[in-house]
Amino acid sequence: MKILVTGASGHLGAKIIEYLAENMPSSNIIAGVRDTQSEKAQKFTAQGIEVRETDFDKKDTLVQAFQGIDRVFIVSTFGDVESSIRQQTHAVEAAKETGVVQMVYSSAPRADVSDFFLAGIHRVREEIMKESGIPYVFVRNNWYVENELATIQQCLNGAPWVTSAGEGKVGWVYRPDLAEATAHVLTGEGHDNKAYELSGENLTQQQFVDAINEVTGNHIPLLTVDDASYSDMLKGANVPEDVAALLVMTQQGIRAGGLENAHSDLEILLGRKPTSVQEALQQLLS
Ligand SMILES: NC(=O)c1ccc[n+]([C@@H]2O[C@H](COP(=O)([O-])OP(=O)(O)OC[C@H]3O[C@@H](n4cnc5c(N)ncnc54)[C@H](OP(=O)(O)O)[C@@H]3O)[C@@H](O)[C@H]2O)c1
C-alpha cells in the first residue's frame, strides 16, 4: 500500500512520515511538498522516501502526485473560505481521477457543529470530502500545546499569563501524538468515513499555567481581563491588528467552550494514554 502525506514539509506532516517510516518500508511512503528542492525535501530523499510536488492551488501537481497512491493525508491549510473550497475541490478531484481509496483530513474539533470561528472552514472542507464519495477519515485535531510556546517564553521572562477566556477549557494536545494517531489511521483498517475527535485532557487557563509552573518551577501569575483589555494589550505589544483580532476570537471561542471536547478517541487510536500537558511541556521546554 502506498501512502502520500501532503504538507510533509510542515510539523505535522513530517512527524506523520516519521511514524509511518517506523512501521512500513520507506518505498511505500511519498512526501508531498510544495518545494521539491528544499532542504526538507532532500532529507526525505536521503531516507529513501520519494518526494512529489503537491500544491493545493495547482490541481495538476495533485493529479501527478496521486498516481499509484492508495491513501492520502490532506493537511489543512490556513486561508479564507474561497481558497479552502478551491484547494479541497482540487484535492478530491485529483483523488477521483487517480483512484485514491482513502483521504485522511486534519480537521478541527466538532467541525460539523462547532461555533468556534475556525470550525466553519473545516466544516466546508469536510463536506467537500463527504460529497466526493471517496472514503474519508477526519482527524479533528484540538489545540496544539506547541501553539503556546511563544507565550510561555514571554512568561518565563517575567510576563503574566493574560487571558479573557474565563473558565473555558481547552483539550490541549501534543502534536506528535496527533501525528502518531494519524499514522495509525493511515496504515490501519476500519476507519473509513469516521471522524475522530483528537483532544487531550480539558484544562482551564489556570490549570494550564499551573502545569507550566509545575514543570518549570516558576510562579507565573494568571491575569484575567475582558476582551477589550486583552485586545488593547495586544495592540500595545505591537501585535498586528489582524493577528490580534484572531487572538481575541480565540479567547472568546475558548470561553464559549469551543475547544473543550471529548478525548477518548486519541487514546483509542494511540493504544496508550496520550501525552499529558505536563509531559508535553517537559519535552518542549527541556
Ligand atoms: N490544531 C492546532 O492547534 C493548529 C495549529 C496550527 C495550525 N493548524 C493547522 O494544522 C495544519 C498542520 O499543522 P502544522 O503544525 O504541520 O503546520 P505547519 O508546520 O505550518 O505546516 C503546514 C503545511 O501545509 C503546507 N501548505 C500550506 N499551504 C499549502 C498549499 N496551498 N498547498 C500544499 N501545501 C500547503 C505547508 O507547505 P510549505 O512548507 O510549502 O509552506 C506545510 O507543509 C496547519 O496547516 C493548520 O491548518 C492547527
Side-chain angles (χ1 to χ4, degrees):
M1 178 170 64
K2 294 226 181 239
I3 299 175
L4 183 143
V5 176
T6 65
S9 56
H11 293 92
L12 184 66
K15 268 281 168 200
I16 294 173
I17 290 193
E18 207 177 298
Y19 286 113
L20 288 176
E22 285 174 11
N23 293 299
M24 62 192 288
S26 304
S27 54
N28 285 342
I29 306 168
I30 290 88
V33 297
R34 282 197 288 190
D35 180 0
T36 57
Q37 303 307 311
S38 67
E39 212 174 294
K40 283 179 184 166
Q42 284 167 16
K43 274 192 190 159
F44 288 128
T45 309
Q47 282 175 265
I49 294 171
E50 186 186 342
V51 174
R52 296 185 188 174
E53 184 185 352
T54 51
D55 186 333
F56 297 125
D57 282 315
K58 299 180 189 160
K59 184 184 155 186
D60 57 319
T61 66
L62 304 177
V63 174
Q64 197 65 35
F66 293 178
Q67 300 289 336
I69 300 296
D70 300 292
R71 297 182 179 187
V72 180
F73 170 72
I74 301 292
V75 75
S76 58
T77 57
F78 193 72
D80 56 18
V81 176
E82 200 185 318
S83 68
S84 299
I85 292 174
R86 184 181 63 245
Q87 292 184 359
Q88 203 75 334
T89 304
H90 284 165
V92 297
E93 284 177 0
K96 260 189 198 167
E97 287 170 31
T98 54
V100 164
V101 296
Q102 184 191 68
M103 304 183 88
V104 179
Y105 172 63
S106 59
S107 188
R110 288 176 276 110
D112 51 343
V113 292
S114 173
D115 290 335
F116 191 70
F117 76 101
L118 290 172
I121 277 179
H122 290 284
R123 180 155 53 244
V124 168
R125 297 182 80 140
E126 286 193 357
E127 281 304 322
I128 292 170
M129 280 196 160
K130 279 185 180 171
E131 283 164 15
S132 75
I134 300 168
Y136 61 82
V137 190
F138 302 141
V139 281
R140 293 180 175 155
N141 296 338
N142 209 322
W143 213 243
Y144 303 158
V145 176
E146 288 84 345
N147 293 343
E148 313 297 353
L149 283 176
T151 310
I152 292 173
Q153 206 48 58
Q154 286 163 8
C155 291
L156 294 178
N157 292 333
W161 184 277
V162 187
T163 180
S164 63
E167 292 301 302
K169 292 186 172 179
V170 178
W172 274 287
V173 278
Y174 185 43
R175 188 165 41 202
D177 277 5
L178 298 172
E180 188 178 339
T182 304
H184 284 311
V185 169
L186 283 162
T187 51
E189 297 304 329
H191 301 297
D192 280 357
N193 303 335
K194 292 200 171 144
Y196 294 108
E197 300 288 344
L198 303 187
S199 288
E201 191 188 352
N202 295 291
L203 302 179
T204 61
Q205 301 286 309
Q206 181 65 68
Q207 288 169 324
F208 190 79
V209 173
D210 289 346
I212 302 168
N213 286 335
E214 196 183 307
V215 168
T216 62
N218 274 60
H219 299 282
I220 299 165
L222 184 87
L223 180 58
T224 304
V225 296
D226 60 18
D227 290 333
S229 310
Y230 187 78
S231 174
D232 289 345
M233 185 209 72
L234 293 171
K235 284 174 198 156
N238 293 324
V239 174
E241 214 159 300
D242 53 339
V243 178
L246 288 179
L247 294 174
V248 173
M249 282 195 278
T250 303
Q251 295 288 307
Q252 288 169 334
I254 293 171
R255 196 170 64 230
L259 292 180
E260 182 172 356
N261 209 2
H263 53 93
S264 53
D265 286 352
L266 185 55
E267 181 169 348
I268 292 166
L269 288 182
L270 290 172
R272 62 165 172 83
K273 287 259 176 244
T275 307
S276 68
V277 164
Q278 276 91 342
E279 287 165 339
L281 290 169
Q282 251 148 15
Q283 294 286 332
L284 295 166
L285 299 175
S286 60

